[in-house]
């Protein structure tokens, strides 16, 4: 890169697109310069003019058109001089024939002139050898610089030629511009000075340049200083944007964790309250059944006695009635004397008591606060995922657990709790307490501050805002093996970097990723036909050469070679690009996924519904169809390095599922549930513990499945900066590398629950 204070060379100006019009993309013709210092062809400006104004195509600045038209814009004599030099070098191209001497026809030679071998830089004429020798011997031209024509065309004398050739007056052909009219700031030749500028003070060009150069250099120095400040401001803006994205990813993770914690606590309370309700109803029903049985028995006895007494009174004779009177009267008095309850036994009716916070419309469990960014010093900042950041987070969590509880707290149950229940209750209280402590730092609706619960007052500038919900499908319930205790691996943001390099002609299109050496990755850029190597910190390490015309699609690194698919072929090349072998694949499949086996001496590729495994010599080691269904097609293959059975994992677009199979093709697990959100499964990666990370491009997610294919939950979402994630890979079993559709790569460290 050329520094601001250095001057560009003449060769750079001639070899770059400096002499091309940015409108017609051709060489400038009659170059005119706008006030913004951008130069275009006069005819192109005429077509671009919109009435009395022109909008610069490069800087978008609107400038007025002079009343005389676009021809009145300043002529760029600097560009004209460079164009003259280019035309002089190109007019005598050897491919169009040898150039002729320009003086031979003038001194009585042949009309065509002899072959030219030299050039006069002062006269701008090509000369034969005889005329060149005579040119050096005349009084008027003995000081002219005559050079070899071949060297002139090679550009050896460009700078000297420009110094000796004067700019020509556009009004008087053949006259050089020699003076500057000071009142008019116009360049003049001798003819121009004798006409309208005769009485104006004029200076020779060299003297005028010496007088005006210091002022221009001072202004240029000021602009260079501004450029330094602009670069610093741009760099700071990018750093601020990166910090914003990192913080947004962290806050997004905190929101997800907090929401999950609140939901788990609420669901736990729901189960607890419903259990209490069921126990109470069952006890009340049992008591009621016993009372009903007793009442029914008494009722039957009373009815039987009353019926017997009525039969005797209605059907018995006088002697019979009198003989039974004593027994009947005694029994009826006995039944009347039994204690009867006037109504049903007292029953406790359940009532639901909600915490006041749940009924308060102004109670927001999730809120955002915003603080002004402070410039970070280079010496002591903790980046995302660093040890300092983790220790700070751990200290904050410990401090939150020691503060008093608030917000929506689970109500205590009657009776003693088991140790397991007490542990679950403590976990829920800690999570809800953390949310309440964060919420306590936000001002009230009436503008009054809430008391700070720590020892130190909060001096940060706060702005209250409610967290807006994301438009997405709800995630399905967590798997039963999680037990609601947050045992999912968690992402820790490491870094982010672009993959577009200065030599790329197109925007990157990443179609493959794989580990490549210690803490390095290999990126398959199909659009630029390159295999690029980066470190996990984003340092560019160079490329692995690929055969000419190949556009790598999927890539995998073996022990001492690199395998990749391109079109309908599978290639194995050495790190220096030497092709070791190539194999033809099925033409019925647009792309072929490639994966390396953990031994590093075999490579697997998906071909038209089956999987083929090749050894380092290019021989087919095995071939199988997952599940025995020929219609199944695996789009991405990742080997389970932690599985001793050697399982393959792939995205099956035919069945719209994630399939796990062993080396014989037997399906040992498959997921096609609602966790896919109706999307086709994307790239898959596996960590050292067997967790499967599945990319869902349409909903900007990476979800986790257990080694058997059961959905566990979300791992990365749009909060982590995911925008159309494309391909992923796992490095060292603990770094998840995610590539986006725009060519950016995000690196996350996978933090296991037991770490």
């Amino acid at each position: 890169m050329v520094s601001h204070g250095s001057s560009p060379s003449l060769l750079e100006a001639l070899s770059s697109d400096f002499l091309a019009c940015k409108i017609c993309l051709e060489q400038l013709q009659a170059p005119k310069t706008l006030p913004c210092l951008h130069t275009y062809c006069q005819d192109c400006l005429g077509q671009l003019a919109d009435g009395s104004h022109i909008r610069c195509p490069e800087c978008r600045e609107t400038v007025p058109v002079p009343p005389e038209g676009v021809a009145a814009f300043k002529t760029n004599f600097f560009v004209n001089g460079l164009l003259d030099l280019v035309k002089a070098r190109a007019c005598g191209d050897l491919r169009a024939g040898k150039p002729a001497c320009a003086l031979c026809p003038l001194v009585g030679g042949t009309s065509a002139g002899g072959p030219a071998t030299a050039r006069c830089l002062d006269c701008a004429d090509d000369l034969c050898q005889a005329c060149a020798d005579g040119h050096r011997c005349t009084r008027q031209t003995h000081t002219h610089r005559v050079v070899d024509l071949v060297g002139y065309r090679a550009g050896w004398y460009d700078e000297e030629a420009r110094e000796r050739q004067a700019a020509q007056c556009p009004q008087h052909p053949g006259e050089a511009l020699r003076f500057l009219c000071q009142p008019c700031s116009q360049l003049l030749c001798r003819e121009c000075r004798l006409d309208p500028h005769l009485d104006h003070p004029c200076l020779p060009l060299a003297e005028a340049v010496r007088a005006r150069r210091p002022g221009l250099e001072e202004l240029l120095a000021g602009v260079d200083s501004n450029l330094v400040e602009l670069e610093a401001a741009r760099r700071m803006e990018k750093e601020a944007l990166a910090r914003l994205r990192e913080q947004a990813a962290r806050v997004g993770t905190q929101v997800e964790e907090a929401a999950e914690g609140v939901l788990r606590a609420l669901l736990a309370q729901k189960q607890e309250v419903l259990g209490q309700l069921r126990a109470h109803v069952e006890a009340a029903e049992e008591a009621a059944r016993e009372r009903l049985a007793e009442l029914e028995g008494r009722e039957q006895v009373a009815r039987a006695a009353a019926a017997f007494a009525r039969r005797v009174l209605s059907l018995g004779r006088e002697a019979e009635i009198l003989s039974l009177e004593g027994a009947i009267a005694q029994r009826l008095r006995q039944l009347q004397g039994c204690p009867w309850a006037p109504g049903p036994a007292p029953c406790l009716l359940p009532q639901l008591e909600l915490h006041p916070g749940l009924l308060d419309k102004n109670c927001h469990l999730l809120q955002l606060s915003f603080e002004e960014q402070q410039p970070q010093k280079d010496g002591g900042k903790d980046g995302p995922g660093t040890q300092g950041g983790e220790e700070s987070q751990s200290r904050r969590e410990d401090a939150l657990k020691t503060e008093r509880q608030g917000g929506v707290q689970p109500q205590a149950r009657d009776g003693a709790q088991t140790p397991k229940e007490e542990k679950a209750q403590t976990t829920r209280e800690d999570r809800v307490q953390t949310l309440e402590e964060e919420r306590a730092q936000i001002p009230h609706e009436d503008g009054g501050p809430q008391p700070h619960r720590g020892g130190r007052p909060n001096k940060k500038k706060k702005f209250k805002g409610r967290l807006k919900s994301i438009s997405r499908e709800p995630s399905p319930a967590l798997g039963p093996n999680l037990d609601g205790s947050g045992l999912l691996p968690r992402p820790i943001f490491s870094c982010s970097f672009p993959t577009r390099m200065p030599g790329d002609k197109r925007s990157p299109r990443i179609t493959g990723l794989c580990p490549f050496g210690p803490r390095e990755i290999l990126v398959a850029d199909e659009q630029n036909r390159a295999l690029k190597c980066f470190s996990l910190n984003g340092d560019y390490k160079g490329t692995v050469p690929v055969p000419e015309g190949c556009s790598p699609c999927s890539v995998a690194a073996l022990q001492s070679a690199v395998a990749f698919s391109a079109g309908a072929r599978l290639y194995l090349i050495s790190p220096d690009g030497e092709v070791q072998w190539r194999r033809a694949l099925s033409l019925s499949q647009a792309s072929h996924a490639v994966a390396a086996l953990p031994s590093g001496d075999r490579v697997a590729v998906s071909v038209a519904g089956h999987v083929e495994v090749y050894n380092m010599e290019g021989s087919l080691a095995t071939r199988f169809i997952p599940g025995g269904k020929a219609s199944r097609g695996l789009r991405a293959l990742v080997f389970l390095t932690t599985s001793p059975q050697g399982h393959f994992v792939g995205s099956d677009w035919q069945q719209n599922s994630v399939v796990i199979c062993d080396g014989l093709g037997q399906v040992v697990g498959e997921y096609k549930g609602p966790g896919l959100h109706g999307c086709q499964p994307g790239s898959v990666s596996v960590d050292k513990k067997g967790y499967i990370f599945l990319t869902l491009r349409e909903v900007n997610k990476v979800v986790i499945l257990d080694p058997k294919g059961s959905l566990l939950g979300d791992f990365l979402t749009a909060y982590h900066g995911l925008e159309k994630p494309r391909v992923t890979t796992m490095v060292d079993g603990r770094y998840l590398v995610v590539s986006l559709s725009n060519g950016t790569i995000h690196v996350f460290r996978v933090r296991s629950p037991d770490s």
Side-chain angles (χ1 to χ4, degrees):
M1 181 182 296
V2 179
S3 62
H4 299 300
S6 62
S7 300
S9 66
L10 181 61
L11 181 61
E12 292 176 351
L14 294 178
S15 59
S16 67
D17 59 351
F18 181 72
L19 301 180
C21 175
K22 300 304 186 296
I23 299 177
C24 64
L25 303 180
E26 300 291 341
Q27 195 174 76
L28 287 163
Q29 301 292 334
K32 295 292 182 179
T33 301
L34 299 179
C36 58
L37 299 185
H38 291 129
T39 303
Y40 307 98
C41 300
Q42 179 176 323
D43 293 341
C44 294
L45 288 178
Q47 298 175 7
L48 196 64
D50 183 13
S52 59
H53 292 82
I54 287 181
R55 191 175 186 184
C56 177
E58 294 183 69
C59 65
R60 318 304 294 173
E61 182 177 342
T62 301
V63 298
V65 178
E68 298 83 0
V70 295
F73 282 120
K74 283 188 175 294
T75 300
N76 195 327
F77 290 107
F78 173 65
V79 172
N80 270 337
L82 296 179
L83 289 174
D84 291 341
L85 187 60
V86 171
K87 293 175 182 177
R89 287 168 54 181
C91 67
D93 196 338
L94 290 175
R95 291 175 296 179
K98 294 183 178 180
C101 177
L103 296 185
C104 286
L106 302 179
V107 296
T110 60
S111 59
T117 59
R119 182 177 179 85
C120 178
L121 300 184
D122 296 85
C123 301
D125 289 331
D126 293 336
L127 307 175
C128 64
Q129 189 60 45
C131 293
D133 294 340
H135 203 68
R136 298 185 181 97
C137 298
T138 65
R139 184 182 298 274
Q140 293 181 345
T141 61
H142 75 282
T143 59
H144 288 195
R145 175 78 161 127
V146 180
V147 298
D148 178 64
L149 185 60
V150 176
Y152 172 76
R153 287 180 185 164
W156 298 349
Y157 307 102
D158 286 345
E159 296 185 7
E160 188 176 356
R162 277 187 49 79
E163 292 176 0
R164 290 178 173 270
Q165 291 178 6
Q168 300 297 311
C169 178
Q171 305 296 330
H172 303 94
E175 289 291 335
L177 297 173
R178 302 177 182 275
F179 306 99
L180 173 69
C181 178
Q182 291 182 295
C184 303
S185 293
Q186 184 175 346
L187 296 176
L188 308 175
C189 67
R190 288 180 294 188
E191 296 293 334
C192 294
R193 187 178 182 187
L194 295 176
D195 191 14
H197 304 275
L198 183 61
D199 298 330
H200 294 180
C202 298
L203 290 176
L205 295 185
E207 185 177 345
V209 168
R210 284 195 299 271
R212 299 198 175 195
R213 182 186 292 272
L216 291 177
E217 290 179 346
E218 182 179 356
L219 293 175
L220 182 60
V223 173
D224 287 341
S225 177
N226 289 344
L227 286 175
V228 173
E229 296 177 358
L230 287 174
E231 283 190 355
R234 177 170 54 85
R235 185 172 59 254
M236 293 176 62
E237 191 69 28
K238 286 185 177 181
E239 293 174 355
L241 181 59
R243 290 195 297 270
L244 173 63
R245 289 173 177 170
E246 295 170 4
Q247 182 65 16
R250 286 195 292 269
V251 171
T253 302
Q254 294 173 3
V255 170
E256 295 282 356
E257 293 177 349
E260 291 174 2
V262 172
L263 288 177
R264 281 195 288 268
L266 191 59
L267 291 175
Q269 291 186 49
K270 167 190 168 184
Q271 297 299 330
E272 178 183 348
V273 173
L274 290 178
Q276 293 178 4
L277 181 61
R278 284 193 297 269
H280 175 75
V281 171
E282 289 174 358
E285 287 179 349
E286 182 66 23
R289 283 193 295 268
E290 294 177 358
R291 184 172 174 80
L292 285 174
E294 181 182 358
L295 292 176
E296 289 174 357
R298 291 185 179 185
E299 182 182 1
Q300 291 177 0
V301 171
R303 287 183 182 277
F308 179 79
R310 286 191 181 92
R311 289 190 184 96
V312 171
L313 291 176
S314 60
L315 301 178
R317 292 174 296 187
E318 290 84 355
E320 295 171 347
I321 294 173
L322 293 174
S323 64
L324 294 174
E325 174 191 6
I328 293 175
Q330 181 181 359
R331 181 58 175 168
L332 293 179
R333 281 194 293 269
Q334 182 182 0
L335 292 175
Q336 288 181 357
C338 291
W340 300 100
C347 180
L348 301 178
L349 297 179
Q351 300 290 334
L352 178 62
E353 297 181 1
L354 294 177
H355 191 281
L358 295 178
L359 303 176
D360 186 3
K361 296 181 179 180
N362 296 322
C363 177
H364 309 304
L365 295 182
L366 300 180
Q367 285 185 320
L368 287 180
S369 62
F370 301 92
E371 63 180 78
E372 294 180 351
Q373 287 195 28
Q374 300 295 331
Q376 296 186 359
K377 298 181 180 180
D378 296 336
K381 61 180 182 180
D382 293 328
T386 60
Q387 182 178 1
E390 294 179 4
E391 292 178 353
S392 300
Q393 179 69 16
S394 177
R395 287 195 297 270
R396 287 195 297 268
E397 293 176 356
D398 294 340
L400 287 172
K401 290 182 180 180
T402 58
E403 295 176 356
R404 69 180 183 88
Q405 300 177 357
V408 182
Q409 297 289 349
Q411 296 180 358
R413 293 182 297 178
D414 294 333
Q417 292 180 329
T418 64
K420 181 177 181 180
E421 292 172 340
E422 291 178 355
K423 182 178 181 181
Q425 180 80 1
T426 303
T427 302
R428 293 194 298 269
E429 290 175 357
D430 289 343
R431 291 186 179 274
V432 178
Q433 176 182 334
T434 301
L435 285 175
E436 184 64 20
E437 294 298 333
E438 293 176 354
R439 178 170 166 259
Q441 298 178 358
I442 303 176
H444 279 303
E445 293 285 288
D446 57 1
Q450 289 187 354
H452 186 70
R453 297 182 181 178
R456 196 171 47 182
N458 191 355
K459 297 183 179 180
K460 296 180 180 178
K461 185 176 181 181
K462 297 287 182 179
F463 303 93
K464 185 178 65 174
R466 184 184 301 181
L467 182 66
K468 296 183 179 180
S469 62
I470 295 180
S471 176
R472 63 170 186 173
E473 297 181 15
S475 298
L478 299 179
N481 57 335
L482 294 181
D483 197 24
S485 57
L487 295 180
L488 285 176
R490 292 297 178 190
I492 298 179
F493 180 81
S494 179
C495 72
S496 176
F497 57 90
T499 58
R500 182 163 188 171
M501 294 293 104
D504 292 346
K505 297 181 180 179
R506 300 180 180 179
S507 297
R509 184 172 184 264
I510 300 176
T511 54
L513 289 173
C514 72
F516 189 64
R519 294 179 61 85
E520 292 184 357
I521 58 173
L522 199 59
V523 179
D525 185 354
E526 187 179 44
Q527 196 79 310
N528 293 292
R529 298 183 175 181
L531 291 176
K532 306 174 181 177
C533 183
F534 295 88
S535 71
L536 289 185
N537 296 327
D539 298 329
Y540 181 57
K541 300 294 185 179
T543 61
V544 175
V546 299
E548 185 176 358
C550 285
S551 298
C553 178
S554 182
V555 64
L558 280 68
Q559 286 179 349
S560 59
V562 175
F564 69 91
S565 60
R569 289 183 179 273
L570 175 66
Y571 292 84
L572 187 73
I573 62 176
S574 62
D576 56 2
E578 181 182 357
V579 178
Q580 299 183 5
W581 51 261
R582 62 173 62 89
R583 294 292 179 267
L585 304 176
S586 173
L587 296 174
S588 62
Q589 192 168 333
S591 61
H592 302 270
V594 177
L597 274 66
S599 57
D601 58 353
R602 295 188 180 187
V603 58
V605 57
S606 63
V607 182
H610 58 267
V611 178
E612 296 179 353
V613 179
Y614 293 88
N615 57 23
M616 295 291 291
E617 289 74 28
S619 301
L620 182 63
T622 182
R623 182 176 185 269
F624 63 87
I625 298 176
K629 297 180 181 179
S631 61
R632 185 179 304 279
L634 295 181
R635 191 184 70 85
L637 292 175
V638 176
F639 182 74
L640 290 174
T641 56
T642 58
S643 173
Q645 292 81 12
H647 292 169
F648 293 93
V649 181
S651 298
D652 184 354
W653 281 21
Q654 193 73 18
Q655 303 293 332
N656 201 37
S657 66
V658 178
V659 63
I660 308 168
C661 61
D662 58 17
L664 300 177
Q666 298 296 323
V667 175
V668 298
E670 187 171 10
Y671 180 77
K672 56 173 64 177
L676 299 180
H677 299 279
C679 308
Q680 285 184 324
S683 178
V684 286
S685 298
V686 184
D687 70 357
K688 58 184 179 181
K689 294 199 173 185
Y691 287 109
I692 302 171
F693 297 82
L694 171 65
T695 303
L696 301 177
R697 183 171 181 265
E698 290 82 353
V699 293
N700 297 326
K701 277 188 176 183
V702 174
V703 299
I704 309 182
L705 288 76
D706 66 9
K708 296 182 179 180
S710 299
L711 181 68
L712 302 182
D714 297 342
F715 182 73
L716 298 175
T717 64
Y719 285 116
H720 301 87
L722 291 195
E723 185 176 356
K724 295 184 179 180
R726 192 176 187 89
V727 189
T728 64
T729 190
M730 188 69 63
V731 180
D732 297 337
R734 57 193 183 100
Y735 288 97
L736 183 66
V737 181
V738 185
S739 69
L740 308 184
S741 296
N742 61 2
T744 303
I745 284 183
H746 293 333
V747 181
F748 298 89
R749 184 163 66 88
V750 181
R751 182 177 183 181
S752 59
D754 55 354
S755 63

